[in-house]
Amino acid sequence: MSKPKVLLLGTIDHAHKIWDSLSSIAELVNPSASNRAKFIEECKSGKYDGVKAAYRTFASVSVTGLWDEELVNVLPKSLEFVAHNGAGYDQIDIQACSARSPPLRVSNVPTAVDDATADVNVFLILGALRGFNSSMFALREGKFKGNPPPPLGHDPEGKTLGILGMGGIGRNLKKKCDAFGMTTIYHNRKKLSDDLAGGAKYVSFEELLKTSDVISLNLPLNKNTRHIISTAEFAAMKPGVVIVNTARGAVMDEAALVAALDARHVASCGLDVYEHEPNIHPGLIANPHVMLVPHMGTWTLETQTSME
C-alpha cells in the first residue's frame, strides 16, 4: 500500500529532524512551481493527487498566492488538512475551505507565538511612551539626546492600557504590563471569564477608545476588523494617546494614523506590522515619534522552532 503524500509549501528552517521523520509514514512532496500561475497549473495537472496534508508558511504566499476560493478549488480533492505555520490566518479563506466537500480543515499555532509577540508589544509600549525613538537616532548621528532634546516621556505606572482583542497574546501582554503598574481594560466580541480576564475590566469598544492612555491592537484581521481603527476612532481617543499594533497592519487605517500623528492627537505609536508590508507609509517613516519594527513579533529561535 502506497504512503499518503504530505506537501511542503515554504521551508523548514529549524525542525528538520521532525519533518524528516514524517518520511516513515508519508511521502514528502515539494512543489517545483515558483509562482501562483505555475502552482495552479501543477494542481490541475494532477501532480499533487494523493496529497492528504499540507504544511504552509507565511512566506509561501509568494508561490501560491492567497488561499482564496480560486486556489482552494483547484487543490487536489485528496487534500484533507493544512497546517498553517502562524497565529494569524488571514492569508486563508476559511469559508472557501469549509465549503469544500469534504471540508478542508485548517490549523494554526495561536499559543506558540504568545510570549514572543507580547514581549515585542511591551517593548513598543515602553519605547513609545518614553519617546525613545528620536534620541536613539540622534545618538547614532553624534547628537546624543538630540538638539534640541526630545519632549519628556511618560511612565507606564498608573496608565490605562486598553487591549483590543484579549486572546492569548492580549492576555499575555496584560500579565506583563501588570509588572509596570498599568491598569488593563479590554474589548472582545465576548466577555471573558473572570479567570481568563485576570483582573482586566471588560468595556465597550467606545469606552476603550475614550478612556485608554495606551491602546494595543491584538485582534485577528478579517472582513469585520479591517480598518476597525480609522479617522472616527482616532477622534474618539484621548488627546495624546499612544497606539501599538502587533496584530495585522490592515486592522488600522495607516493614512488616518498618519493624519492623527501629524495633528498630535496621537502622541506616538509603535508598530510591528503594516497595512501594505513590506511597504511602509512614508508618513510613518518620517515621523520621529513612531517606533517601527519590521514584523519581528515571533523572530526568535525558540519561538520559530516551537511554531514549526
Side-chain angles (χ1 to χ4, degrees):
M1 183 176 178
S2 61
K3 295 178 182 178
K5 297 177 182 179
V6 176
L7 177 64
L8 174 61
L9 297 172
T11 60
I12 301 294
D13 296 317
H14 308 288
H16 297 290
K17 288 184 179 179
I18 295 175
W19 174 257
D20 291 343
S21 71
L22 291 176
S23 63
S24 64
I25 59 172
E27 179 185 345
L28 306 183
V29 179
N30 291 280
S32 55
S34 58
N35 57 55
R36 179 182 174 94
K38 290 182 178 178
F39 181 73
I40 288 177
E41 184 179 315
E42 288 182 348
C43 288
K44 290 180 176 179
S45 73
K47 177 176 180 177
Y48 303 121
D49 289 357
V51 168
K52 291 286 189 181
Y55 169 91
R56 77 175 298 275
T57 66
F58 190 82
S60 70
V61 72
S62 65
V63 173
T64 66
L66 296 175
W67 279 50
D68 53 15
E69 185 176 8
E70 179 193 26
L71 184 71
V72 168
N73 287 338
V74 298
L75 292 170
K77 299 301 181 185
S78 57
L79 184 64
E80 299 177 3
F81 180 76
V82 55
H84 168 66
N85 182 10
Y89 48 89
D90 45 285
Q91 292 181 344
I92 302 175
D93 185 338
I94 299 299
Q95 288 187 333
C97 292
S98 299
R100 278 190 26 142
S101 182
L104 176 57
R105 292 171 291 173
V106 181
S107 70
N108 63 335
V109 286
T111 58
V113 305
D114 290 356
D115 258 319
T117 305
D119 288 346
V120 171
N121 228 141
V122 172
F123 168 79
L124 291 172
I125 288 172
L126 294 178
L129 271 172
R130 295 291 301 272
F132 285 147
N133 193 62
S134 59
S135 290
M136 289 167 66
F137 280 99
L139 181 67
R140 293 181 181 274
E141 295 171 355
K143 300 174 183 177
F144 206 57
K145 284 189 180 73
N147 187 20
L152 290 172
H154 296 278
D155 295 324
E157 287 84 358
K159 302 298 187 296
T160 297
L161 169 65
I163 296 178
L164 186 56
M166 191 78 154
I169 296 169
R171 296 194 299 272
N172 193 299
L173 173 65
K174 187 267 177 191
K175 292 178 183 177
K176 287 178 164 69
C177 287
D178 284 350
F180 293 98
M182 302 186 81
T183 299
T184 300
I185 60 177
Y186 76 97
H187 179 73
N188 263 4
R189 287 174 299 175
K190 296 180 180 179
K191 182 180 179 181
L192 298 176
S193 67
D194 290 344
D195 184 51
L196 283 177
K201 179 185 177 183
Y202 179 77
V203 298
S204 68
F205 180 52
E206 292 75 17
E207 185 176 349
L208 184 141
L209 295 178
K210 288 193 301 183
T211 60
S212 299
D213 298 304
V214 178
I215 294 177
S216 178
L217 306 183
N218 300 98
L219 67 170
L221 174 63
N222 55 50
K223 64 180 181 180
N224 298 315
T225 62
R226 181 176 295 274
H227 284 195
I228 194 170
I229 301 296
S230 190
T231 302
E233 289 71 32
F234 287 121
M237 297 175 191
K238 282 184 177 182
V241 69
V242 169
I243 298 174
V244 171
N245 187 8
T246 59
R248 284 290 185 266
V251 300
M252 184 159 50
D253 181 344
E254 279 189 0
L257 171 62
V258 168
L261 283 161
D262 289 345
R264 300 298 290 142
H265 188 76
V266 173
S268 59
C269 72
L271 305 175
D272 183 45
V273 290
Y274 307 92
E275 188 171 357
H276 303 291
E277 62 183 66
N279 301 312
I280 302 174
H281 194 296
L284 297 174
I285 295 174
N287 194 311
H289 304 293
V290 177
M291 289 198 71
L292 304 175
V293 177
H295 205 150
M296 299 183 75
T298 61
W299 200 253
T300 73
L301 175 62
E302 294 82 1
T303 298
Q304 291 288 315
T305 301
S306 179
M307 289 171 70
E308 287 188 356

